[in-house]
Amino acid sequence: MAVNPTTEVQAQPVTPSGKAMRRIIWFLLLLVSMIVISLPTVMLLAFGLLPSVVAWIVDRTDQKYATFCVFGMNFSGLFPFLTDLWFKDHSTEAATRVLTDPFSLMVILGSAAFGWVMYKTVPPVVATFMSVMLQHRVTTLRDQQKVI
């Protein structure tokens, strides 16, 4: 039986599963409640952690090593300004002051850049170190074989 080539197959629209929809709803509820309760903290986190969000989007690996490196360094650069916000003046104006200060932006974004540098440089250094250690082990084992 021949198939008519003119018949079109209707593509089913992709809809999120029930579990994914629940996650989205919980995330939105959490975000709205955090904005209502603590707008200055949400402002500082939303803007300060943008490099981490970019790293999460760009990193296509399953392990997300770039995301962990950038987020760890990014959050460590953001944390002193968060503590100042929490313990001194928790207002929208104070959060705006931090976000418009060139020094604080340089610290926050510079620490994220350091996370990218770590992600790019540490694995080759570790691989070289491991190669040297393994080569030394091979030399030691060959010397022991000659003795026996």
Side-chain angles (χ1 to χ4, degrees):
M1 179 173 197
V3 177
N4 188 357
T6 59
T7 58
E8 295 180 16
V9 177
Q10 294 290 331
Q12 295 294 327
V14 177
T15 58
S17 67
K19 192 174 190 179
M21 188 58 83
R22 280 192 298 268
R23 284 184 182 169
I24 291 170
I25 290 171
W26 276 110
F27 175 75
L28 290 174
L29 284 173
L30 181 68
L31 182 66
V32 168
S33 63
M34 285 298 296
I35 287 173
V36 169
I37 295 170
S38 180
L39 179 63
T41 300
V42 171
M43 282 175 49
L44 200 57
L45 285 173
F47 186 77
L49 293 178
L50 278 177
S52 299
V53 172
V54 169
W56 178 67
I57 292 170
V58 169
D59 190 9
R60 297 288 181 179
T61 61
D62 290 336
Q63 296 84 10
K64 299 286 186 189
Y65 292 133
T67 304
F68 289 128
C69 284
V70 174
F71 175 76
M73 290 290 106
N74 192 197
F75 189 74
S76 67
L78 182 65
F79 191 70
F81 301 106
L82 273 175
T83 56
D84 285 346
L85 186 71
W86 291 338
F87 297 119
K88 289 182 182 175
D89 181 22
H90 195 258
S91 65
T92 309
E93 189 243 321
T96 306
R97 199 174 328 116
V98 170
L99 291 175
T100 56
D101 181 28
F103 175 74
S104 62
L105 285 177
M106 191 168 58
V107 169
I108 294 167
L109 300 177
S111 63
F114 185 71
W116 277 112
V117 168
M118 276 182 42
Y119 172 71
K120 289 293 187 182
T121 59
V122 169
V125 169
V126 171
T128 303
F129 177 74
M130 294 295 290
S131 174
V132 168
M133 293 297 291
L134 289 174
Q135 196 63 31
H136 177 66
R137 178 81 175 138
V138 166
T139 305
T140 304
L141 289 173
R142 285 196 177 138
D143 289 343
Q144 288 177 355
Q145 277 182 336
K146 287 179 185 175
V147 170
I148 296 177

